[in-house]
Amino acid sequence: MTTRDQQREETKKRIYDCAFQLFEKKGFDNVKVQDIAKAAGISIGGLYHHYRSKADIIDFGYFTFDEQLEEQYQTQNFKSPREGIEALVRFQMQTCVDTGVEIIGITFRNQINGENQYRYSENRYLTRQLIANLKKAGLDETKQKQVAEAILRTARGYVYDWCCRKGSFDLVYETLAQINIILAYYQI
C-alpha cells in the first residue's frame, strides 16, 4: 500500500469515527454532512470524495466489521464446524453490544432505506465462513446456503429485537441459543 493509499484509508476511517460519534451524540437525522466534515477536519468536498452520503458512511461499517472478524477468526482453531459458526455469531453479536443500541439502531434504519447490498452478499467474510463451516459439516451446496441464510436472518432478527427493546436482554446468549437450535435441527 502506498503512502497515498494509507492516507486515504486513514481519512476514510477518521470520517467514519467522527460521524458515528456525532450520530451517537446528536442522532443520525440531526447530523449534517457539514458537521461530519468539520469534526473530521476536512472539506465537504473531501468527505464526498470518500462517501456519497451519510448512509454510505454507515455502510462502510460492514466492511470494517468484516475486516475485524477476519483478523480475529483466522487466529483461532476450532474443533468442529459448529464451534466455528458459534464463534462467528458470537463475534457479530458482541460487536453489536460493544457498538451500542443507538448506533446499531441507526445501521438497521439505514439497511431498510439503503441501496448497498454488500451486507447480504455471499462475498462477505462472515457469509463465506458460515458456508465454509457448513461445507465442513457435510451439507450439500443448497443446504449450505439455506442454513447460512437462516443463521443470518435469525441473527438480524435478534439484533432488531434487541434494538427495539433498548438492549434489555443478553444479545449474545439469546442469539447463540437460537442459532444452536438451528444447528441441532440440521445435525451440525
Side-chain angles (χ1 to χ4, degrees):
M1 180 181 283
T2 67
T3 304
R4 191 167 183 83
D5 291 338
Q6 188 175 359
Q7 287 174 336
R8 186 178 7 229
E9 289 304 310
E10 288 171 4
T11 301
K12 192 168 188 169
K13 178 79 168 96
R14 186 173 69 249
I15 294 166
Y16 175 82
D17 291 340
C18 290
F20 272 90
Q21 288 172 3
L22 289 168
F23 296 157
E24 195 165 21
K25 187 190 292 184
K26 296 178 161 186
F28 181 80
D29 292 332
N30 297 322
V31 175
K32 295 180 177 81
V33 171
Q34 297 89 323
D35 300 331
I36 299 168
K38 183 178 178 182
I42 61 169
S43 69
I44 294 170
L47 186 143
Y48 280 121
H49 174 75
H50 295 282
Y51 298 102
R52 293 178 315 215
S53 65
K54 290 191 309 183
D56 214 24
I57 296 170
I58 291 171
D59 286 339
F60 180 71
Y62 291 98
F63 296 102
T64 303
F65 168 84
D66 279 355
E67 287 173 356
Q68 293 169 348
L69 173 61
E70 184 172 5
E71 208 173 276
Q72 182 177 340
Y73 192 79
Q74 289 183 343
T75 64
Q76 299 181 33
N77 258 336
F78 302 106
K79 297 175 189 165
S80 68
R82 183 182 194 128
E83 193 176 286
I85 292 167
E86 288 172 346
L88 291 165
V89 173
R90 185 178 297 106
F91 184 85
Q92 181 185 28
M93 295 304 108
Q94 190 60 55
T95 299
C96 290
V97 171
D98 294 345
T99 303
V101 171
E102 293 301 319
I103 295 298
I104 297 300
I106 291 167
T107 63
F108 259 78
R109 189 171 75 212
N110 185 60
Q111 286 179 18
I112 293 167
N113 298 329
E115 296 175 10
N116 183 344
Q117 292 299 306
Y118 174 73
R119 67 186 139 274
Y120 303 112
S121 170
E122 288 183 15
N123 294 323
R124 282 194 69 187
Y125 184 80
L126 173 64
T127 307
R128 288 193 330 260
Q129 290 307 311
L130 281 172
I131 290 172
N133 278 291
L134 294 165
K135 183 177 183 177
K136 286 180 193 172
L139 273 61
D140 65 45
E141 193 173 331
T142 302
K143 283 279 192 236
Q144 291 166 26
K145 290 180 180 181
Q146 180 183 16
V147 176
E149 192 57 45
I151 290 168
L152 293 169
R153 281 185 183 140
T154 300
R156 282 192 300 269
Y158 269 83
V159 173
Y160 174 80
D161 192 51
W162 179 75
C163 289
C164 289
R165 295 171 187 263
K166 306 292 185 208
S168 67
F169 62 88
D170 185 334
L171 179 63
V172 177
Y173 175 82
E174 294 293 335
T175 306
L176 281 170
Q178 191 64 38
I179 297 303
N180 276 304
I181 291 169
I182 293 169
L183 296 175
Y185 178 80
Y186 287 100
Q187 300 176 348
I188 298 168

